[in-house]
Amino acid sequence: MQTILVTGGAGYIGSHTLVELLQNTDFRVVSLDNFSNSLERSYERVQKICKRNFETICLDLCDKTRLYEALGQIGHIDGIIHFAAYKSVPESVKEPLLYYHNNLTSLNNLLSYAVDNGIKHFIFSSSCSVYGNADDLPVTEASPLKKAESPYGHTKQVGEEMISFVSQAYPAFSAVLLRYFNPVGAHLSGLLGELPLNRPNNLVPIITQTAVGKNALTVFGKDYPTRDGSCIRDYIHVSDIADAHVKALDYLLSGKNKTRCSIFNLGTGTGISVLEAIASFEKVSGKKLPYTIGGRRAGDVVSIYANNSLAKKELSWSPQYGIDDMMLSAWKWQQHLETE
Ligand code: UD1
């Protein structure tokens, strides 16, 4: 049986990927997390959905000694899916060194372990923030990487380069870099979703919390050069992102990859403005959402959406859900949290 290590498995995208792996593969799945922005409770939620067990390790990837000890006890690892990282654009602007330390030290340690132990397959959570403010939309994987607008985006640019150089230096090592656009929504069961420990920074949890009176939504900027003045993003359902990881793993394990460091955009290909996202939420929830218009947020790009043809062709992947499904599932999850 092949063993797959998932770092950040208790987190938002990690936990949804655990579900896809446990439901659709026979792999032995080991999840590693230090619960810095997640709760152990997510594992119970995954188990409840999948009715299948998996192993867990509680560890900070920045602690190289403990990392080597703990992973040494697992036995041979066939592939790593690396999610664990900090991910807030505004927080990274305020605390850049926290982001460089956490996101890059952990990646360096994990890559060292992989090359020292002959782990051949590596999947990396990257982000469309690597494109910066792109000149031409939609962006393809060949679009030039402009200057990152935030330290978060820069850690993803550097992370991608580290992995690319490692794949050139070690012929046995191959990687897939998945550039997520804006993952949102929740598992369709309503039993699993995003659960930021502190006040969230991402739009959709703020929308759903505002709808239950636990937050107050401000639209960051209505003076951008876009169709309604608010920023445009390519929102993509978290379960579509999770599904892409299972497909990327199969791509690597069955040797379908054409290069040793393949890059794929994971987006729907549709740009949605902040105001359109709010309108979608209001439509599916039947609730009028109070919000105010505020100033621009530091680190934001104006507009970005994906050309996703390469992932569709090479990974045989296709997003299943639209913006209304994303908002409805996020709303279902928020309502579930209210009744727990
Ligand atoms: C960025 C990355 C994305 C990554 C995510 C992780 C880009 C283009 N995308 O998303 O790949 O997965 O970080 O966190 O860099 N907004 C408001 N009010 C709020 C919160 C957000 O108006 O209270 C607006 C933002 O200004 C932005 C949009 O909503 O225009 C989405 O913001 P957010 O959900 O934080 O994601 P990004 O920072 O775009």
Side-chain angles (χ1 to χ4, degrees):
M1 191 192 295
Q2 291 180 305
T3 298
I4 305 302
L5 175 72
V6 177
T7 75
Y12 176 42
I13 307 176
S15 59
H16 287 79
T17 301
L18 288 181
V19 168
E20 296 299 321
L21 284 169
L22 294 165
Q23 286 187 329
N24 300 315
T25 74
D26 296 325
F27 298 133
R28 170 186 174 218
V29 176
V30 182
S31 173
L32 183 157
D33 207 301
N34 67 345
F35 309 115
S36 67
N37 190 27
S38 60
L39 292 175
E40 206 165 354
R41 187 84 209 274
S42 350
Y43 289 151
E44 288 166 33
R45 300 182 203 273
V46 170
Q47 244 148 359
K48 192 166 173 191
I49 293 169
C50 302
K51 298 178 181 62
R52 219 191 114 187
N53 284 331
F54 54 97
E55 291 155 65
T56 62
I57 300 171
C58 179
L59 185 81
D60 183 348
L61 286 168
C62 292
D63 185 341
K64 192 170 179 183
T65 309
R66 281 201 59 218
L67 176 69
Y68 270 62
E69 277 165 19
L71 296 192
Q73 287 172 15
I74 296 178
H76 181 69
I77 297 171
D78 295 280
I80 297 177
I81 307 181
H82 179 44
F83 292 105
Y86 291 157
K87 64 145 198 171
S88 163
V89 167
E91 185 183 52
S92 78
V93 172
K94 283 192 204 109
E95 296 204 60
L97 295 176
L98 185 71
Y99 273 67
Y100 287 112
H101 172 69
N102 185 65
N103 292 3
L104 297 179
T105 309
S106 53
L107 177 62
N108 196 20
N109 289 346
L110 196 58
L111 287 171
S112 301
Y113 187 85
V115 296
D116 287 348
N117 291 278
I119 301 174
K120 291 187 180 147
H121 309 296
F122 196 90
I123 298 177
F124 179 60
S125 287
S126 190
S127 159
C128 66
S129 53
V130 298
Y131 294 113
N133 267 311
D135 290 330
D136 297 308
L137 296 176
V139 284
T140 72
E141 292 77 357
S143 297
L145 304 192
K146 306 283 290 294
K147 183 179 169 302
E149 290 295 313
S150 67
Y152 163 76
H154 191 219
T155 65
K156 294 298 177 186
Q157 288 181 338
V158 176
E160 286 198 358
E161 284 186 81
M162 285 167 66
I163 296 166
S164 169
F165 279 120
V166 168
S167 72
Q168 288 167 38
Y170 300 94
F173 179 91
S174 356
V176 167
L177 314 179
L178 295 175
R179 291 179 180 160
Y180 314 153
F181 281 64
N182 279 55
V184 298
H187 191 261
L188 293 196
S189 64
L191 299 174
L192 184 67
E194 185 163 15
L195 191 58
L197 289 193
N198 302 310
R199 216 174 157 76
N201 284 310
N202 291 117
L203 179 65
V204 174
I206 294 175
I207 286 180
T208 59
Q209 288 188 357
T210 301
V212 295
K214 289 189 170 160
N215 211 326
L217 175 63
T218 301
V219 173
F220 295 137
K222 206 178 169 294
D223 57 351
Y224 284 102
T226 61
R227 53 185 173 261
D228 60 18
S230 64
C231 289
I232 291 186
R233 297 285 183 273
D234 185 339
Y235 297 97
I236 173 149
H237 196 283
V238 64
S239 296
D240 279 328
I241 294 269
D243 174 46
H245 287 76
V246 178
K247 296 197 158 94
L249 201 52
D250 173 64
Y251 183 74
L252 285 177
L253 291 170
S254 56
K256 290 181 199 141
N257 52 313
K258 299 196 174 98
T259 60
R260 283 195 288 101
C261 187
S262 316
I263 304 177
F264 299 108
N265 282 342
L266 297 183
T268 62
T270 305
I272 307 268
S273 74
V274 176
L275 296 177
E276 288 163 352
I278 293 171
S280 164
F281 177 82
E282 289 182 329
K283 183 173 87 181
V284 300
S285 67
K287 282 181 88 80
K288 190 92 192 107
L289 204 64
Y291 63 86
T292 51
I293 304 289
R296 294 182 176 194
R297 183 176 74 171
D300 266 339
V301 300
V302 181
S303 185
I304 193 155
Y305 50 95
N307 176 321
N308 60 11
S309 320
L310 194 64
K312 283 180 166 165
K313 181 166 164 266
E314 294 283 313
L315 301 179
S316 307
W317 168 83
S318 187
Q320 303 297 305
Y321 305 108
I323 187 71
D324 289 349
D325 305 307
M326 300 175 210
M327 289 296 175
L328 188 58
S329 60
W331 181 224
K332 197 171 169 188
W333 165 241
Q334 183 71 49
Q335 288 173 298
H336 175 76
L337 286 176
E338 297 309 304
T339 57
E340 265 193 337

